[in-house]
């Protein structure tokens, strides 16, 4: 069966590549649809098209179009014509309509069941088979209550999100037991580690080249700490100065005597140089964190994060320090 992958982060692209490589039906074709969620994601599109992992790669500015619908449409019209507007705006401002027949006869893989992209696909292709693929910790931290889900489905006539929509038949994640009980019956196991370990040397090199674009990652020895940051100021959890202060405290507490490497979130705007520690090495932002395991020589004694799910996926870290969202409340 042909496959459509709809995502907007480097991690989404990485998982889509792995799924494409290890698909059971070798005669099937793949369409990758990238949204504008992550700055700079467009830069790897030429390499993705040349890689051969996908038959088609297109970009659709779902985030920009959602803002336009909000700015250009009155409240009443949005409520009455929400789903029709989603289809009109998307098809008038992208090349997606050219792939209508392909999509209609394919399985659709969404990395998040929320927002304009979900509204578009679930509204237009309601009879397709829909699958959610892992998006990190978001899959395990439900935020949509029962009343909110009811209101979205029956009053607003839009997607409920978080895999609750009946159109979503499967939710493929690494830790099915951590899914909320309301959707756990849809859970299927995403074999991320097995797929990574089964990659050929040729595929490993090709995948690395897609994301690295000639850049190199050098991690010396194993007396290292990896700090995984997140867009906490960009998303309104903390001010930028509070975020920087917090990371300095974490490094003083957990990384004494270790060489520090920092993996910044691709959506972060903060330049940490000169703001945390005298010296550290920054790992390229557009590099999917999970791909560190492909670089067999890289080892870390400690990995430190507030709540980045990527830390749980890494095998190259000896001790994982996952503080959780409760830590932010203390901050």
């Amino acid at each position: 069966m042909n496959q459509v992958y709809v995502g907007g982060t480097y991690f989404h692209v990485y998982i889509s590549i792995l799924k494409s490589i290890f698909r059971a039906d070798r005669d099937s074709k793949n369409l990758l649809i990238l949204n504008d969620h992550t700055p700079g994601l467009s830069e790897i599109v030429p390499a993705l098209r040349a890689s051969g992992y996908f038959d088609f790669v297109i970009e659709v500015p779902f985030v920009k179009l959602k803002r336009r619908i909000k700015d250009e449409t009155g409240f009443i019209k949005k409520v009455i014509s929400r789903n029709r507007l989603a289809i009109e705006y998307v098809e008038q401002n992208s090349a997606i309509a050219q792939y209508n027949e392909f999509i209609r006869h394919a399985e659709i893989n969404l990395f998040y069941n929320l927002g304009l992209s979900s509204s578009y696909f679930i509204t237009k292709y309601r009879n397709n088979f829909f699958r959610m693929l892992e998006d990190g910790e978001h899959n395990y931290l439900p935020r949509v209550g029962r009343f909110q889900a009811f209101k979205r489905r029956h009053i607003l006539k839009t997607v409920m999100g978080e895999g609750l929509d009946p159109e979503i038949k499967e939710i493929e994640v690494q830790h099915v037991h951590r899914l909320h009980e309301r959707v756990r019956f849809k859970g299927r196991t995403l074999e991320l580690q097995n797929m990574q370990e089964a990659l050929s040397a040729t595929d490993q090199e090709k995948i690395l080249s897609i994301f690295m674009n000639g850049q190199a990652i050098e991690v010396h020895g194993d007396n290292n700490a990896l700090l995984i940051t997140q867009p906490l100021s960009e998303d309104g959890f903390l001010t930028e100065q509070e975020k920087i202060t917090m990371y300095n405290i974490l490094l003083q507490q957990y990384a004494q005597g270790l060489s520090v490497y920092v993996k910044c979130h691709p959506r972060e705007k903060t330049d940490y140089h000169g703001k945390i520690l005298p010296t550290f090495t920054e790992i390229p932002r557009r590099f999917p964190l999970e791909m560190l395991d492909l670089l067999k020589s890289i080892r870390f004694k400690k990995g430190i994060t507030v709540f980045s799910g990527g830390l749980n996926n890494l095998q190259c870290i000896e001790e994982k320090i996952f503080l959780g969202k409760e830590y932010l409340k203390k901050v």
Side-chain angles (χ1 to χ4, degrees), residues 36 63 139 261:
D36 51 338
V63 176
N139 296 105
Y261 294 79

Side-chain angles (χ1 to χ4, degrees), residues 30 62 68 123 177 247 269 275 285 301 307 315:
N30 298 312
F62 287 110
R68 280 187 53 189
T123 299
H177 68 281
Y247 285 137
K269 299 177 182 177
K275 298 174 183 175
R285 298 192 182 205
K301 282 197 181 300
F307 55 85
Q315 304 300 303

Side-chain angles (χ1 to χ4, degrees), residues 216-242:
I217 296 178
E218 295 185 6
V219 177
H220 303 287
D222 60 3
N223 195 42
N224 306 310
L226 175 64
L227 173 65
I228 304 168
T229 70
Q230 291 171 279
L232 300 176
S233 58
E234 291 78 1
D235 290 348
F237 287 100
L238 303 172
T239 67
E240 180 162 323
Q241 188 54 54
E242 286 171 340

